[in-house]
Amino acid sequence: MVFSPAHLQIKDEDDGYNKNLFCVPKHYEDDLERVFIPHGLILDRTERLARDIMKDMGSHHIFALCVLKGGYKFFADLMDHIKALNRNTDQSVPITVDFVRLKSYSNDSSMGTVSIIGEELTAFKGKNVLVVEDIIETGQTIQTLLSRIKEHEPQMVKVVSLLIKRTIRSSGYRPDYIGFEIPDKFVVGYALDYNEYFRDLNHICILNEKAKEKYKV
Ligand code: IMP
């Protein structure tokens, strides 16, 4: 599969960093295999995504839609960078925010169905919508959400995902903006979870097999 060059590609053989070179919470120390994407790098890449998004969408009011729960850290940091651009350039636009909660995962594999929890999607008619996702694997979650949003006849919908997985399970869907393209590994941290654990970890990390058993439901 060939992706556009406008993202940072992490190769299959790149397995990140020794966790002992970084600060991780004591309660997760034994669960982590490697630090995969350090927090600082996530923030630096997010700053540039904010600039790219504002270049394309920065002339109209933006309706930013956060996909919960995994997207909340990326969403907050992306909004901070967009707000900084709004403060420091001659042209600025209002940003309004909304949240939608989706569930498609149990343990480390997709359940094959996507449930939209909360249902109440804002009326997007005529609006410029920016959907903010944490990670795209098969593409099923985001495609389900997009079809629901499009029922509300927005003027424009753009999708930004912090991560996209290089996997044969992909439907081929590609978002408009991508932070990092990663190998086919299960990752946690920076709000991405394994059965609700590891959202409280700053870095994006790889779990060890023992942890997958320990936190299995
Ligand atoms: P998709 O529908 O297969 O694209 O899966 C996307 C959703 O699955 C994301 O929004 C996450 O909630 C979850 N997901 C996929 N891969 C991972 C992972 O490596 N770690 C944590 N959650 C993941």
Side-chain angles (χ1 to χ4, degrees), residues 8-171:
L8 199 155
Q9 194 176 50
I10 300 179
K11 302 228 159 50
D12 285 350
E13 57 274 23
D14 291 345
D15 62 353
Y17 307 89
N18 184 330
K19 65 183 174 187
N20 298 322
L21 298 172
F22 294 87
C23 294
V24 297
K26 191 96 194 132
H27 56 273
Y28 290 146
E29 241 170 32
D30 295 340
D31 303 325
L32 305 176
E33 188 78 38
R34 309 275 291 171
V35 168
F36 196 49
I37 312 178
H39 187 233
L41 181 56
I42 299 170
L43 294 182
D44 288 337
R45 179 76 188 115
T46 302
E47 181 180 17
R48 178 56 197 249
L49 287 172
R51 200 170 99 181
D52 293 347
I53 290 165
M54 286 303 272
K55 191 164 164 249
D56 296 344
M57 298 186 78
S59 52
H60 300 281
H61 181 163
I62 299 173
F63 273 67
L65 182 68
C66 172
V67 183
L68 293 171
K69 296 178 187 174
Y72 92 89
K73 280 294 297 167
F74 176 47
F75 184 79
D77 289 329
L78 184 69
M79 288 306 120
D80 279 351
H81 284 302
I82 289 180
K83 278 164 20 196
L85 291 172
N86 262 338
R87 286 195 299 276
N88 295 306
T89 43
D90 291 338
Q91 194 188 359
S92 71
V93 292
I95 315 283
T96 46
V97 299
D98 209 343
F99 301 85
V100 63
R101 191 166 158 209
L102 305 181
K103 192 157 174 52
S104 58
Y105 249 67
S106 179
N107 294 321
D108 61 352
S109 50
S110 173
M111 297 188 293
T113 53
V114 181
S115 26
I116 300 183
I117 304 165
E119 288 299 311
E120 199 49 48
L121 284 182
T122 313
F124 291 125
K125 198 174 169 71
K127 305 288 176 11
N128 287 354
V129 181
L130 175 68
V131 182
V132 183
E133 252 286 27
D134 54 351
I135 182 165
I136 292 171
E137 187 175 319
T138 62
Q140 199 195 349
T141 305
I142 191 70
Q143 284 173 302
T144 305
L145 179 61
L146 283 177
S147 61
R148 290 286 306 282
I149 292 173
K150 283 176 184 161
E151 287 167 13
H152 294 264
E153 298 172 20
Q155 175 172 285
M156 173 202 281
V157 185
K158 297 264 189 194
V159 177
V160 56
S161 184
L162 177 63
L163 307 174
I164 185 162
K165 253 186 222 182
R166 225 171 17 252
T167 168
I168 49 162
R169 294 183 300 288
S170 165
S171 65

Side-chain angles (χ1 to χ4, degrees), residues 189-202:
Y190 193 67
L192 281 98
D193 74 312
Y194 178 78
N195 294 332
E196 296 302 327
Y197 289 91
F198 304 101
R199 295 197 199 275
D200 55 333
L201 181 63
N202 272 359

